[in-house]
Amino acid sequence: MSLEKDSDSIKGIRLTSLCSLPYQIQCCSNTAKFCLERLGKVQDLPVWPDDETTFDQLKARIAETVALLEKADPACMDGMESREVLFETKAAGTFRFETGQRYVSEFAITNFHFHMGIAYCILRQKGVDVGAFDYMNDVFVKV
């Protein structure tokens, strides 16, 4: 598709080819959880079936993710900024990041914000009254 030839592209966002809101939330959650596994070498992390279908279930998933991160010992990641990280996937094989810093800055943060941004767009498209300050919660400190 050429943007210049497709006048509808300039008028709005097409979301029909994107995965669902639950998928976007699950990707954010899994990205955060896998940082503990890949960087912190944390064992026995919960396995979440990615089967949420309601807002209450999505809120619970977010709360579980936050709780998991809050109870993690930051020391478990000491030294990982300079160590190699292997990222194994079922579908695409194994990827290598030269350092934990590269894994975080080039994959984890990017992937998390990509899926969070898509979730935000889905909510906006469905008429939910969220704005930039909701998306960037706690980024700004008013003086």
Side-chain angles (χ1 to χ4, degrees):
M1 168 181 71
S2 168
L3 290 179
E4 291 178 20
K5 294 179 182 176
D6 185 5
S7 64
D8 286 339
S9 294
I10 200 79
K11 295 177 188 173
I13 300 170
R14 293 184 181 179
L15 296 175
T16 56
S17 64
L18 297 176
C19 293
S20 68
L21 178 64
Y23 176 83
Q24 305 305 328
I25 302 299
Q26 292 157 0
C27 285
C28 288
S29 171
N30 288 332
T31 298
K33 177 179 78 167
F34 289 137
C35 276
L36 291 177
E37 180 179 280
R38 295 177 182 138
L39 296 171
K41 306 295 185 194
V42 176
Q43 303 291 317
D44 301 321
L45 289 170
V47 176
W48 294 319
D50 295 339
D51 61 358
E52 293 83 7
T53 58
T54 68
F55 280 105
D56 285 342
Q57 290 172 335
L58 290 174
K59 288 177 187 178
R61 172 70 175 262
I62 293 167
E64 289 174 36
T65 305
V66 170
L68 182 67
L69 295 172
E70 286 177 338
K71 78 175 189 177
D73 179 5
C76 73
M77 296 191 194
D78 285 351
M80 284 307 299
E81 63 276 1
S82 59
R83 289 193 198 123
E84 176 183 77
V85 174
L86 296 178
F87 171 7
E88 297 178 38
T89 69
K90 292 177 186 172
T94 300
F95 297 92
R96 178 183 166 272
F97 291 86
E98 291 176 13
T99 65
Q101 176 62 47
R102 289 192 70 186
Y103 171 79
V104 170
S105 61
E106 295 174 14
F107 174 75
I109 291 172
T110 305
N111 191 59
F112 182 91
H113 281 282
F114 171 81
H115 289 288
M116 189 168 85
I118 297 300
Y120 169 85
C121 288
I122 291 169
L123 291 171
R124 290 286 304 223
Q125 184 75 10
K126 295 296 184 180
V128 177
D129 186 21
V130 292
F133 286 106
D134 297 301
Y135 174 76
M136 297 184 297
N137 188 29
D138 298 327
V139 171
F140 299 104
V141 176
K142 189 160 181 150
V143 292

